Amino acid sequence: MYGKCGRLEEANNLFTRAPKDTLLMWNAMFSVLGVHGKGLQALNLYNTLKRTNLQPDRFTIMSVLMACSHSGLVDQAVEFLRKIESPSIEIYNCVIDALSRANRLSEAEKMIINMPCKPDIITWTTFLGGCRKHKDIQRAERAIHELNTIDDKESSTYVLMSNIYGETGNVEQSKQVWQQMKDKKLRKVPGTSFIEDNNGVVHQFIVGDTSHKQYHAIEERLDTEFEKLRSAGFVHDISFVSHAYETYNEKIRHLCRHSEKLALAFGLINTPEGSPLLVTKNLRVCPDCHTATKLIALLNKREITMRDSSRFHIFKDGKCSCGDYW
Ligand code: ZN
Ligand code: ZN
């Protein structure tokens, strides 16, 4: 519970005191280290576990690999895989994730082709995520081809490819992919963020949604926050905003209405100054929100925790716990 709420230290303290005679207890701690991207700690804990008479299972292994992947410990992840007897596809996918994130896409692709199990949707989507991050269009196109032979109705594949084209300046191709998606009547999953108020009520914000009863106050707060941010030197990252928004101002307006920004502004308005905030999001946090949140945390003297679909980000004093590696 502590780990899932972004409170790594409390989770650690509790684990230190807890009886450790079942793998369940260890795996709880490994999963916390996994979502927080604490690679070295996970590897150390794994060595400690190996000295007991308990046997790690696939959840233990996946958590260790996830922790390595999210902290850039790629060689360690590959080495770890080498020692595992007949690894499953999920385990391979974790290592492919580590390689892809770290721009070792050629090794990742080789691993996909040569591994003894058949690559699945997760394998190719993970690889595609790396291709997007490192702007490798050719490999992305190969991944898309493979993904479409498995399932050509998965909207996230089209969204990723359209973004890759858009971010690399191939506007026409980006529009074409968007059109294909429309023709197939596929819809993009909207970004949605959640935040709890002081009475324990959870508030939901969808990108661009204006229906919240405090919407005007939220909008005003966002305007003031971004004015402060811009005078502190913040520049919006519009490279990944959909071509559907044509002018610079439209793009900025859209960026400032991302669900995590709406939830954040709601939190700033409704909680005492200086208190920590926790936002959860269904998709990965975008680079613009990531940079903005670092500064919002700094300027408002708040600790802001954001749990996205892939890991925890703890923003404090102008930095994020992910070290900008996510
Ligand atoms: Zn965003
Ligand atoms: Zn982060």
Side-chain angles (χ1 to χ4, degrees):
M1 182 195 77
Y2 280 129
K4 283 182 177 165
C5 295
R7 290 161 65 171
L8 179 60
E9 215 180 294
E10 278 105 324
N12 233 334
N13 290 343
L14 196 56
F15 177 74
T16 312
R17 297 201 309 271
K20 295 175 209 35
D21 46 1
T22 63
L23 187 64
L24 203 64
M25 177 62 76
W26 289 83
N27 277 357
M29 193 60 218
F30 277 112
S31 80
V32 172
L33 296 174
V35 286
H36 283 86
K38 296 289 175 194
L40 284 178
Q41 252 175 285
L43 287 167
N44 286 337
L45 191 66
Y46 189 81
N47 288 333
T48 315
L49 171 67
K50 290 292 271 183
R51 289 196 291 272
T52 69
N53 51 15
L54 294 169
Q55 276 305 316
D57 63 8
R58 65 192 177 100
F59 295 108
T60 326
I61 293 164
M62 281 163 63
S63 298
V64 174
L65 287 171
M66 188 176 165
C68 289
S69 177
H70 284 287
S71 48
L73 300 179
V74 193
D75 290 329
Q76 289 87 335
V78 174
E79 180 61 22
F80 195 79
L81 174 74
R82 225 171 42 80
K83 291 185 198 148
I84 294 161
E85 234 175 276
S86 47
S88 62
I89 179 76
E90 297 121 301
I91 291 174
Y92 271 107
N93 286 347
C94 294
V95 182
I96 289 159
D97 184 46
L99 287 166
S100 306
R101 274 174 200 282
N103 201 10
R104 286 163 64 169
L105 292 163
S106 136
E107 277 169 80
E109 198 173 15
K110 260 186 217 142
M111 184 174 280
I112 297 174
I113 295 166
N114 296 323
M115 64 187 186
C117 33
K118 200 172 177 296
D120 60 11
I121 287 199
I122 313 247
T123 317
W124 288 112
T125 311
T126 301
F127 179 66
L128 186 58
C131 296
R132 177 189 180 180
K133 187 174 173 195
H134 303 292
K135 303 194 182 346
D136 189 328
I137 295 188
Q138 281 171 347
R139 288 200 169 88
E141 284 173 341
R142 292 204 283 274
I144 292 285
H145 174 77
E146 296 297 334
L147 278 164
N148 282 341
T149 55
I150 303 173
D151 177 7
D152 69 346
K153 295 207 167 38
E154 180 51 56
S155 63
S156 61
T157 311
Y158 292 86
V159 173
L160 256 175
M161 196 63 220
S162 172
N163 287 341
I164 294 171
Y165 283 133
E167 288 159 27
T168 48
N170 297 294
V171 179
E172 277 316 305
Q173 275 150 307
S174 172
K175 283 184 185 171
Q176 270 173 24
V177 178
W178 205 253
Q179 192 56 45
Q180 282 170 12
M181 200 172 131
K182 264 183 157 174
D183 294 344
K184 292 193 175 172
K185 299 196 169 36
L186 303 175
R187 292 190 56 180
K188 182 183 177 183
V189 176
T192 309
S193 294
F194 303 88
I195 188 165
E196 200 179 302
D197 67 17
N198 282 341
N199 302 316
V201 179
V202 174
H203 295 253
Q204 173 182 303
F205 295 91
I206 300 175
V207 53
D209 181 16
T210 57
S211 65
H212 194 277
K213 60 178 191 293
Q214 279 181 281
Y215 186 74
H216 288 296
I218 290 172
E219 203 171 36
E220 246 172 57
R221 181 66 187 239
L222 280 175
D223 288 344
T224 352
E225 285 301 320
F226 279 100
E227 243 165 67
K228 281 195 276 175
L229 256 61
R230 284 175 205 127
S231 44
F234 174 77
V235 182
H236 281 288
D237 183 352
I238 56 162
S239 63
F240 54 91
V241 181
S242 155
H243 56 78
Y245 304 94
E246 284 185 355
T247 68
Y248 180 79
N249 283 346
E250 276 172 1
K251 284 181 200 249
I252 298 292
R253 202 185 144 70
H254 169 70
L255 269 182
C256 291
R257 302 297 176 268
H258 273 188
S259 68
E260 55 270 56
K261 290 192 183 98
L262 298 175
L264 202 56
F266 172 86
L268 290 173
I269 298 169
N270 291 288
T271 55
E273 271 183 38
S275 62
L277 295 174
L278 169 64
V279 174
T280 53
K281 192 189 174 193
N282 65 335
L283 307 171
R284 280 179 61 183
V285 55
C286 83
D288 189 73
C289 287
H290 194 266
T291 313
T293 309
K294 282 197 278 190
L295 281 169
I296 291 174
L298 176 73
L299 297 178
N300 288 280
K301 297 192 176 61
R302 298 256 196 166
E303 183 176 307
I304 301 169
T305 303
M306 222 174 249
R307 194 181 87 198
D308 69 6
S309 61
S310 110
R311 62 164 297 151
F312 270 100
H313 300 265
I314 301 170
F315 300 92
K316 202 179 167 183
D317 304 330
K319 290 193 202 89
C320 179
S321 63
C322 75
D324 298 332
Y325 191 87
W326 86 100

